[in-house]
Amino acid sequence: SSEVLEAIENVIQDVLKSLAQKKAPVLTLANRSDWRNIEFKDSVGLQMMPHCTTKQIRSDCPRSAPKFALMLKILSMIYKMVQSNTYATKRDIYYSDTLLFGSQSVVDNIINDISCMLKIPRRSLHILSTTKGFVAGNLSYTEEDGTKVNCTCGATVFTVPSNVQGIKNLISHAKFMLIVEKDATFQRLLDDDFCNKLSPCIMITGRGIPDLNTRLLVRKLWDSFKIPIFTLMDADPHGVEIMCVYKYGSVSMSFEAHHLTVPSIKWLGLLPSDLERLNIRKDILIPFTKQDQNKLASIQKRPYIACQPMWKKELEIMAASKLKAEIQVLTSLSSDYLSRVYLPNKLQFGGWL
């Protein structure tokens, strides 16, 4: 915490120095959204380069002055929280002055900018993100406040903890971990008792694009148990994008890649080639939209696809067919095909990439 306080004091000191010299203060931070500042490293995923282009938030420019003011406001809130050892969620910060901030996304963006500017992970700034992910299966742990959580009992679902760094005493006999893209598929597998049927496993869903806590938990479980991690996604560009976020990280959070990515994650399904192999009827597949085509084209150009020839092939199959499929298409074969046939066969015979 002294490191956080010192980093904030240095920023404020620079602001005061500029004012004393009758200069307009500026805040300088790495340009997070620029692919040119990102390098791909096999062992980490997408990470920010040490020497990258920066952008300035100026106090004397009408376009950036409001952002400059809001950054100082949130810096002062973080400073107080670190001093008093209290925590707040991003929502708490927004609701402390909705008129001032205008929208939740403004707050979220500024917090990521501050984290990047100070080079300090967000959780060390005493800001918790609200969690939307779920975890179930063969896992128990103790939360920071001493609450014991046992996910192992039956079809119980637990929300991913809001302070993943604080959990301890992690125990699991799981043989693998399954990341499921969607809540509906996750619930279906739970109802079918998938976590215990084949061999004990841990199931996690970020319910779409994963939030920070879900990604932190996947990474923590990987560090703790070093068990294989598989993903179960829709066979569409959006599903592939989500899987890449878990495996390689995202451009906007590349400055935190070391805590968030798990490059050993495997793509278990639904593979575009599975649709042909299983003779899924063409009439129940969904035609690509223009947006799907653009998203797929952009994924195919990314640096990590070049080192994944099998993935490249699957994306080419998808691009050629211009058709996408949700995991639910497997119910056209039989209502429990996913948990009874598809997943057991894949896991047993190594049907992942």
Side-chain angles (χ1 to χ4, degrees):
S1 60
S2 59
E3 191 188 321
V4 181
L5 296 176
E6 194 182 328
I8 296 174
E9 284 161 9
N10 289 341
V11 170
I12 302 304
Q13 224 167 357
D14 287 345
V15 169
L16 293 173
K17 264 185 211 158
S18 299
L19 290 170
Q21 293 163 2
K22 304 227 174 342
K23 286 182 192 161
V26 293
L27 298 173
T28 307
L29 58 136
N31 201 341
R32 287 191 295 125
S33 55
D34 191 339
W35 270 96
R36 287 170 302 186
N37 285 338
I38 311 296
E39 59 182 352
F40 170 65
K41 206 169 160 200
D42 237 358
S43 57
V44 183
L46 299 175
Q47 62 174 8
M48 195 167 262
M49 291 178 186
H51 308 292
C52 56
T53 60
T54 55
K55 60 177 180 182
Q56 290 192 326
I57 314 292
R58 301 191 62 85
S59 60
D60 61 348
C61 158
R63 260 198 25 235
S64 61
K67 182 167 183 176
F68 179 91
L70 292 180
M71 283 182 78
L72 289 190
K73 165 77 175 166
I74 292 180
L75 277 169
S76 78
M77 292 171 88
I78 293 168
Y79 194 85
K80 280 180 196 148
M81 288 193 299
V82 174
Q83 270 188 323
S84 59
N85 197 22
T86 54
Y87 286 82
T89 64
K90 294 187 296 182
R91 275 186 91 68
D92 295 335
I93 290 176
Y94 168 58
Y95 280 111
S96 70
D97 199 333
T98 51
L99 279 175
L100 176 68
F101 294 119
S103 78
Q104 181 71 59
S105 61
V106 167
V107 172
D108 297 356
N109 198 22
I110 285 177
I111 288 165
N112 284 342
D113 277 345
I114 286 174
S115 176
C116 183
M117 176 176 75
L118 301 178
K119 296 188 172 52
I120 289 170
R122 193 164 76 195
R123 57 203 165 280
S124 303
L125 303 176
H126 284 230
I127 295 170
L128 305 171
S129 46
T130 32
T131 299
K132 64 184 177 96
F134 290 146
V135 59
N138 195 294
L139 173 69
S140 63
Y141 55 85
T142 309
E143 290 201 2
E144 200 182 25
D145 63 1
T147 311
K148 286 185 166 51
V149 175
N150 184 4
C151 309
T152 315
C153 29
T156 327
V157 172
F158 288 88
T159 307
V160 167
S162 59
N163 189 353
V164 174
Q165 291 311 101
I167 66 174
K168 47 190 185 292
N169 309 330
L170 287 94
I171 300 166
S172 176
H173 304 292
K175 296 282 178 273
F176 65 92
M177 208 154 102
L178 184 66
I179 299 171
V180 182
E181 177 186 350
K182 284 187 181 151
D183 194 16
T185 312
F186 181 84
Q187 298 292 348
R188 179 70 219 237
L189 289 171
L190 271 185
D191 295 343
D192 292 347
D193 195 26
F194 178 75
C195 288
N196 303 310
K197 263 190 185 151
L198 194 64
S199 58
C201 75
I202 299 167
M203 277 202 321
I204 286 186
T205 179
R207 299 160 76 194
I209 294 169
D211 57 288
L212 196 70
N213 292 328
T214 305
R215 290 173 63 192
L216 282 168
L217 182 63
V218 169
R219 175 64 200 234
K220 189 165 184 114
L221 293 173
W222 160 247
D223 286 337
S224 305
F225 305 121
K226 292 285 190 282
I227 51 177
I229 304 179
F230 303 107
T231 58
L232 181 62
M233 307 278 150
D234 288 341
D236 66 9
H238 190 63
V240 175
E241 171 89 288
I242 288 170
M243 172 171 60
C244 292
V245 169
Y246 283 108
K247 186 176 172 77
Y248 295 123
S250 59
V251 174
S252 63
M253 293 297 285
S254 57
F255 62 95
E256 269 213 61
H258 289 266
H259 311 285
L260 292 171
T261 58
V262 184
S264 62
I265 283 173
K266 305 277 184 253
W267 186 3
L268 187 68
L270 190 60
L271 302 177
S273 59
D274 289 338
L275 304 174
E276 222 159 84
R277 188 174 58 82
L278 299 170
N279 291 323
I280 302 288
R281 298 198 327 269
K282 286 271 195 295
D283 61 312
I284 55 173
L285 300 178
I286 308 157
F288 263 24
T289 62
K290 187 81 191 102
Q291 204 182 358
D292 290 325
Q293 273 172 310
N294 294 343
K295 164 88 70 194
L296 183 57
S298 103
I299 292 171
Q300 285 176 304
K301 288 191 196 97
R302 291 189 194 164
Y304 44 70
I305 297 299
C307 68
Q308 289 280 6
M310 303 299 280
W311 282 33
K312 207 171 156 202
K313 231 178 242 173
E314 292 293 333
L315 298 183
E316 281 161 8
I317 293 172
M318 201 190 286
S321 75
K322 291 192 173 59
L323 293 169
K324 56 184 182 176
E326 297 186 329
I327 295 161
Q328 281 74 7
V329 297
L330 296 177
T331 55
S332 68
L333 302 170
S334 78
S335 63
D336 59 351
Y337 191 86
L338 177 66
S339 59
R340 187 175 53 84
V341 183
Y342 182 82
L343 289 175
N345 281 348
K346 284 243 162 185
L347 291 160
Q348 206 175 341
F349 301 114
W352 57 80
L353 306 177

